């Protein structure tokens, strides 16, 4: 008689059947939690009852073998239970570490890692081009109602919080972010976009982070084109003629496009010109130069010279 027959006669297969009722669905999300650890500890520490010991001894006697072989069978069961728990953990996708209701402190998926450090959660963006729902998923798993969106930005706005909002929050609630380590750039190894949320954040928060633009993608966040690190670095276009600014842009290998603006009556602020198809002459005036996309600068212009820059209010 082989060992499988011995286990069947001893009633051990019935015990395996009972263990099998703990299905993958019931273990989902608990393989690394307190419940899984308690289950494994209970299996390991359980002592055989009288009925089990008697049945095992009877089966051993019938086979002409000694009862101690039952310990081998029990070690087999423990091994099977431990293997099942490890297998359940291995097939999990997003991982929520130490997931005990109200005490989870970290989360990870393919797009983001989040960890509680001191009095704030620090989220490291692993994939800046991922679906923004994956970022929100991580915060929601930790009980935080936080929305995150990454938008294409000109070089000096990459890693900055472009804008953010709050709803139903308290004075203690804080959102932040940037590039970490401080002063690094995304093309450096070990440099990441990060988002921070204060511990115990109430209500809802949402923030937008600037990310590198894909080829041909227009910027949704940008700095003035003359700023250090931007396409017209060191050049001040304010109040110059279109002819002069366009010549400088083309000298740098840039394409030039125009936006015709209409200043407000008081000179502070502006609206869009009604006819954007009008031909812009070299004698027109430039009030701001903005990066539109990689290799293209957008000039905000009027036909007449103005006493006050409507873009800057100066």
């Amino acid at each position: 008689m082989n060992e499988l027959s011995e286990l069947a006669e001893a009633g051990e297969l019935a015990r395996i059947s009972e263990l099998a009722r703990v299905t993958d669905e019931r273990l989902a999300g608990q393989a690394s939690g307190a419940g899984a650890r308690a289950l494994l500890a209970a299996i390991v520490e359980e002592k055989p009852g009288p009925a089990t010991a008697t049945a095992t001894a009877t089966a051993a006697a019938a086979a002409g073998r000694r009862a101690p072989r039952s310990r081998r069978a029990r070690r087999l069961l423990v091994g099977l239970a431990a293997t099942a728990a490890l297998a359940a953990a291995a097939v999990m996708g997003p991982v929520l570490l130490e997931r005990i209701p109200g005490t989870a402190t970290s989360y990870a998926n393919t797009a983001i890692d989040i960890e509680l450090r001191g009095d704030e959660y620090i989220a490291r963006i692993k994939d800046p081009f991922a679906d923004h729902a994956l970022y929100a998923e991580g915060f929601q798993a930790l009980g935080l109602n936080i929305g995150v969106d990454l938008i294409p930005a000109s070089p000096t706005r990459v890693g900055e919080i472009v804008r953010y909002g709050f709803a139903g929050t308290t004075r203690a609630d804080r959102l932040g972010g940037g590039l970490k380590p401080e002063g690094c750039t995304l093309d450096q190894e070990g440099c990441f976009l990060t988002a921070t949320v204060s511990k115990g954040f109430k209500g809802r928060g949402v923030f937008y982070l600037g990310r590198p633009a894909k080829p041909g993608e227009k910027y949704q966040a940008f700095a003035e084109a003359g700023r250090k690190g931007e396409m017209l670095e060191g050049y001040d276009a304010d109040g110059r003629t279109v002819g002069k600014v366009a010549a400088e842009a083309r000298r740098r290998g840039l394409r030039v496009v125009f936006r015709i603006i209409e200043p407000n009556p008081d000179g502070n602020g502006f609206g869009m010109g009604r006819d954007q198809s009008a031909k812009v002459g070299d004698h027109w005036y430039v009030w701001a130069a903005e990066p539109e996309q990689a290799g293209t600068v957008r000039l905000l212009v009027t036909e007449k010279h103005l006493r006050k820059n409507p873009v800057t209010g100066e």
Side-chain angles (χ1 to χ4, degrees), residues 53 56-61 65-72:
T56 303
T58 300
R65 296 172 182 162
R66 292 182 295 177
R69 182 176 292 276
S70 62
R71 289 196 293 271
R72 294 174 53 194

Side-chain angles (χ1 to χ4, degrees), residues 288-299:
E290 302 172 343
E292 180 169 84
Q293 64 185 73
T296 301
V297 62
R298 178 175 56 241
L299 304 181

Side-chain angles (χ1 to χ4, degrees), residues 233-296:
E233 178 178 344
Y235 186 80
D236 185 7
D238 182 2
R240 296 178 185 269
T241 64
V242 165
K244 290 182 178 180
V245 178
E248 176 63 21
R250 289 166 183 146
R251 185 184 71 82
R252 301 187 186 209
L254 303 174
R255 174 174 170 263
V256 178
V257 297
F258 302 101
R259 176 171 292 172
I260 302 171
I261 62 174
E262 292 182 354
N264 294 335
D266 62 0
N268 295 313
F270 62 93
M272 300 300 298
R274 296 177 182 177
D275 184 10
Q276 291 294 318
S277 64
K279 182 176 176 56
V280 175
D282 286 347
H283 62 286
W284 287 40
Y285 293 89
V286 178
W287 303 107
E290 302 172 343
E292 180 169 84
Q293 64 185 73
T296 301

Side-chain angles (χ1 to χ4, degrees), residues 26-27 32 66 117 126 151 182 184 215 231 241 249 284:
R26 293 178 62 186
L27 284 174
S32 62
R66 292 182 295 177
R117 298 181 187 173
K126 296 188 291 187
I151 61 177
E182 188 174 349
C184 72
M231 56 184 64
T241 64
W284 287 40

Side-chain angles (χ1 to χ4, degrees), residues 120 122-124 177-186 190-196:
E120 68 179 5
I122 298 179
R124 187 181 71 170
L179 293 173
K180 296 292 184 182
E182 188 174 349
C184 72
T185 58
L186 279 181
C191 185
F192 292 93
L193 283 168
T194 63
T196 60

